[in-house]
Amino acid sequence: MPTPVEPLHVGVLGAGAIGCWVGGMLAADAAVTLVGRPRVLDPIREGGLTVESPEERPRLVPPDRLHLTTDVRDLVDAQVVLLCVKSRDTAPAVANAASHLRPGAIVVSLQNGLHNPERAREALAAQGASAHVLAGMVPFNVARTGPSTYRRATSGGILVEDDARAEPLVAAAQRSGLPLATHPDLPGIQRAKLLMNMSNAVNALCGLPLRDQFADRDLRKVVAVCQEEGLRVLEAAGTPPARIGRLGTRDMIRVLRLPTPLFALLAKAQLRIDPAATSSMSDDLDAGRPTEVDELQGEVVQLGQRHGIPTPACAAVVALVHDAEGRGPGDRPRWSGPDLLAAVAGGAAGDPPA
């Protein structure tokens, strides 16, 4: 009789919307530990974790199928750790967990921005840890639609750096139905995701659901001008984005500017979004938390300064988001498409709406 194979043990460091959804999907095949805050984990302890997606029936993961903890020491047996904290927390979170990771553990960054894998490597090296970091990219949005319910609201599959050490995770993902594959050019994919994420700040500033945002031509134009600046500075740095999906970046920028009926015909996937879905940056503003705008439009601004390329639209968006952060959730401005386009296209922050 064959010896039963032990399931892969996957830890999620920073179990928020993405971490809970990915961990909940993997729980069909893997042993999953969610390390997060009590406000996230306590409802799961009470009623289990429900993960949803447009293509299949909801899955309820009973609480006894998950290890729920606030303590990074509980990652000690994890062969794979999915890093899902905000970018500003990468270095301290990894440094805090480093001494508790098993030798040879794989840490997969599923975060926004370009620099988190390197930050994680530096934090591990400083602690003398032998874990190996792989870059990853999550193309979809996940919405928390109930106390312990997480719904993938947009399409796409997770991509992970092409490395033999990722094979156990890829195999567990395939068995569990989680869309995840390796890619030979993860840095290029991350740069493409950076440009895709230019919409996050626009969503945070307008306060609309993503579907309504993409139905507004002026708001799409704001995304397009930020993407143009981002593409320009990436090409000047000699690090162009990889191609994601059917349309290249330049084509997608053109499509964003089209009248809405044409846009709807050519970019159906952009509108195949859960009606209530918003960006994580919008959620952060609602909760009064700092955002990741410095990792997105702010990254474009920094690259532009380094290469002598003006980035007025991205600089204006950064200023507007920081202004919203400073006001707090109760006084959060809600920009209309025409007002935001006028403020950003001119390269000035402008006055927030009353």
PDB file of all heavy atoms in Angstrom, residues 5 26 62 87 93 106 118 178 198 209 225 284 290 332 337:
ATOM      1  N   VAL A   5       1.006  10.826   0.830  1.00  0.00           N
ATOM      2  CA  VAL A   5       1.874  11.979   0.647  1.00  0.00           C
ATOM      3  C   VAL A   5       1.371  13.119   1.524  1.00  0.00           C
ATOM      4  O   VAL A   5       0.183  13.456   1.509  1.00  0.00           O
ATOM      5  CB  VAL A   5       1.893  12.424  -0.834  1.00  0.00           C
ATOM      6  CG1 VAL A   5       2.756  13.669  -1.009  1.00  0.00           C
ATOM      7  CG2 VAL A   5       2.398  11.284  -1.715  1.00  0.00           C
ATOM      8  N   LEU A  26      -6.242  27.314  -1.936  1.00  0.00           N
ATOM      9  CA  LEU A  26      -5.224  26.278  -1.763  1.00  0.00           C
ATOM     10  C   LEU A  26      -5.601  25.257  -0.695  1.00  0.00           C
ATOM     11  O   LEU A  26      -5.098  24.124  -0.708  1.00  0.00           O
ATOM     12  CB  LEU A  26      -3.880  26.919  -1.409  1.00  0.00           C
ATOM     13  CG  LEU A  26      -3.130  27.597  -2.557  1.00  0.00           C
ATOM     14  CD1 LEU A  26      -1.961  28.412  -2.019  1.00  0.00           C
ATOM     15  CD2 LEU A  26      -2.629  26.554  -3.562  1.00  0.00           C
ATOM     16  N   PRO A  62     -14.018  25.061   6.175  1.00  0.00           N
ATOM     17  CA  PRO A  62     -14.295  25.059   7.613  1.00  0.00           C
ATOM     18  C   PRO A  62     -13.092  25.587   8.403  1.00  0.00           C
ATOM     19  O   PRO A  62     -11.943  25.415   7.982  1.00  0.00           O
ATOM     20  CB  PRO A  62     -14.553  23.574   7.925  1.00  0.00           C
ATOM     21  CG  PRO A  62     -14.882  22.953   6.607  1.00  0.00           C
ATOM     22  CD  PRO A  62     -14.105  23.721   5.583  1.00  0.00           C
ATOM     23  N   SER A  87       3.297  46.962   0.795  1.00  0.00           N
ATOM     24  CA  SER A  87       4.708  47.180   0.467  1.00  0.00           C
ATOM     25  C   SER A  87       5.472  47.834   1.604  1.00  0.00           C
ATOM     26  O   SER A  87       6.628  47.473   1.873  1.00  0.00           O
ATOM     27  CB  SER A  87       4.823  48.047  -0.793  1.00  0.00           C
ATOM     28  OG  SER A  87       4.268  47.384  -1.900  1.00  0.00           O
ATOM     29  N   ALA A  93       8.003  42.942   8.261  1.00  0.00           N
ATOM     30  CA  ALA A  93       7.286  41.672   8.375  1.00  0.00           C
ATOM     31  C   ALA A  93       8.204  40.491   8.104  1.00  0.00           C
ATOM     32  O   ALA A  93       8.192  39.488   8.833  1.00  0.00           O
ATOM     33  CB  ALA A  93       6.093  41.651   7.416  1.00  0.00           C
ATOM     34  N   ILE A 106      10.364  28.610   0.683  1.00  0.00           N
ATOM     35  CA  ILE A 106      10.175  29.490  -0.467  1.00  0.00           C
ATOM     36  C   ILE A 106       9.217  30.601  -0.057  1.00  0.00           C
ATOM     37  O   ILE A 106       8.118  30.332   0.436  1.00  0.00           O
ATOM     38  CB  ILE A 106       9.593  28.720  -1.672  1.00  0.00           C
ATOM     39  CG1 ILE A 106      10.481  27.516  -2.019  1.00  0.00           C
ATOM     40  CG2 ILE A 106       9.437  29.650  -2.872  1.00  0.00           C
ATOM     41  CD1 ILE A 106      11.898  27.869  -2.319  1.00  0.00           C
ATOM     42  N   GLU A 118      13.055  42.123  -3.712  1.00  0.00           N
ATOM     43  CA  GLU A 118      14.402  42.505  -3.273  1.00  0.00           C
ATOM     44  C   GLU A 118      14.395  42.930  -1.804  1.00  0.00           C
ATOM     45  O   GLU A 118      15.330  42.611  -1.054  1.00  0.00           O
ATOM     46  CB  GLU A 118      14.937  43.637  -4.153  1.00  0.00           C
ATOM     47  CG  GLU A 118      16.404  43.954  -3.911  1.00  0.00           C
ATOM     48  CD  GLU A 118      17.316  42.736  -4.061  1.00  0.00           C
ATOM     49  OE1 GLU A 118      17.066  41.896  -4.947  1.00  0.00           O
ATOM     50  OE2 GLU A 118      18.282  42.619  -3.259  1.00  0.00           O
ATOM     51  N   LEU A 178      -6.719  26.623  -8.237  1.00  0.00           N
ATOM     52  CA  LEU A 178      -6.231  28.001  -8.183  1.00  0.00           C
ATOM     53  C   LEU A 178      -5.473  28.310  -9.467  1.00  0.00           C
ATOM     54  O   LEU A 178      -4.520  27.610  -9.812  1.00  0.00           O
ATOM     55  CB  LEU A 178      -5.290  28.183  -6.984  1.00  0.00           C
ATOM     56  CG  LEU A 178      -4.565  29.533  -6.887  1.00  0.00           C
ATOM     57  CD1 LEU A 178      -5.557  30.650  -6.579  1.00  0.00           C
ATOM     58  CD2 LEU A 178      -3.460  29.478  -5.828  1.00  0.00           C
ATOM     59  N   MET A 198      -2.067  51.588 -12.403  1.00  0.00           N
ATOM     60  CA  MET A 198      -2.324  53.021 -12.439  1.00  0.00           C
ATOM     61  C   MET A 198      -3.802  53.323 -12.193  1.00  0.00           C
ATOM     62  O   MET A 198      -4.165  54.423 -11.790  1.00  0.00           O
ATOM     63  CB  MET A 198      -1.903  53.608 -13.785  1.00  0.00           C
ATOM     64  CG  MET A 198      -0.418  53.538 -14.116  1.00  0.00           C
ATOM     65  SD  MET A 198       0.657  54.572 -13.106  1.00  0.00           S
ATOM     66  CE  MET A 198       1.353  53.336 -11.983  1.00  0.00           C
ATOM     67  N   PRO A 209     -17.333  52.066  -7.830  1.00  0.00           N
ATOM     68  CA  PRO A 209     -16.953  50.683  -8.131  1.00  0.00           C
ATOM     69  C   PRO A 209     -16.121  50.642  -9.415  1.00  0.00           C
ATOM     70  O   PRO A 209     -16.258  51.499 -10.297  1.00  0.00           O
ATOM     71  CB  PRO A 209     -18.303  49.973  -8.319  1.00  0.00           C
ATOM     72  CG  PRO A 209     -19.280  50.817  -7.576  1.00  0.00           C
ATOM     73  CD  PRO A 209     -18.796  52.233  -7.720  1.00  0.00           C
ATOM     74  N   VAL A 225      -3.218  58.500 -19.301  1.00  0.00           N
ATOM     75  CA  VAL A 225      -2.097  59.440 -19.268  1.00  0.00           C
ATOM     76  C   VAL A 225      -1.061  59.006 -18.235  1.00  0.00           C
ATOM     77  O   VAL A 225       0.148  59.155 -18.439  1.00  0.00           O
ATOM     78  CB  VAL A 225      -2.599  60.885 -19.021  1.00  0.00           C
ATOM     79  CG1 VAL A 225      -3.086  61.111 -17.601  1.00  0.00           C
ATOM     80  CG2 VAL A 225      -1.504  61.892 -19.351  1.00  0.00           C
ATOM     81  N   ASP A 284      -8.381  51.160   1.351  1.00  0.00           N
ATOM     82  CA  ASP A 284      -7.477  51.751   2.344  1.00  0.00           C
ATOM     83  C   ASP A 284      -7.948  53.150   2.743  1.00  0.00           C
ATOM     84  O   ASP A 284      -7.932  53.507   3.924  1.00  0.00           O
ATOM     85  CB  ASP A 284      -6.048  51.809   1.802  1.00  0.00           C
ATOM     86  CG  ASP A 284      -5.377  50.448   1.763  1.00  0.00           C
ATOM     87  OD1 ASP A 284      -5.823  49.542   2.504  1.00  0.00           O
ATOM     88  OD2 ASP A 284      -4.412  50.274   1.001  1.00  0.00           O
ATOM     89  N   PRO A 290      -2.863  54.178   5.352  1.00  0.00           N
ATOM     90  CA  PRO A 290      -1.978  54.676   4.285  1.00  0.00           C
ATOM     91  C   PRO A 290      -2.127  53.807   3.040  1.00  0.00           C
ATOM     92  O   PRO A 290      -2.395  52.601   3.127  1.00  0.00           O
ATOM     93  CB  PRO A 290      -0.573  54.535   4.892  1.00  0.00           C
ATOM     94  CG  PRO A 290      -0.781  54.415   6.360  1.00  0.00           C
ATOM     95  CD  PRO A 290      -2.102  53.762   6.549  1.00  0.00           C
ATOM     96  N   ARG A 332     -13.279  62.285   2.937  1.00  0.00           N
ATOM     97  CA  ARG A 332     -12.627  61.841   1.714  1.00  0.00           C
ATOM     98  C   ARG A 332     -13.267  62.476   0.484  1.00  0.00           C
ATOM     99  O   ARG A 332     -14.482  62.347   0.275  1.00  0.00           O
ATOM    100  CB  ARG A 332     -12.723  60.316   1.632  1.00  0.00           C
ATOM    101  CG  ARG A 332     -12.224  59.726   0.338  1.00  0.00           C
ATOM    102  CD  ARG A 332     -12.450  58.227   0.323  1.00  0.00           C
ATOM    103  NE  ARG A 332     -12.194  57.677  -0.986  1.00  0.00           N
ATOM    104  CZ  ARG A 332     -12.416  56.395  -1.299  1.00  0.00           C
ATOM    105  NH1 ARG A 332     -12.876  55.565  -0.388  1.00  0.00           N
ATOM    106  NH2 ARG A 332     -12.175  55.959  -2.513  1.00  0.00           N
ATOM    107  N   GLY A 337     -15.208  62.387 -13.062  1.00  0.00           N
ATOM    108  CA  GLY A 337     -14.297  62.189 -14.186  1.00  0.00           C
ATOM    109  C   GLY A 337     -13.785  63.489 -14.773  1.00  0.00           C
ATOM    110  O   GLY A 337     -12.570  63.683 -14.924  1.00  0.00           O
TER     111      GLY A 337
END
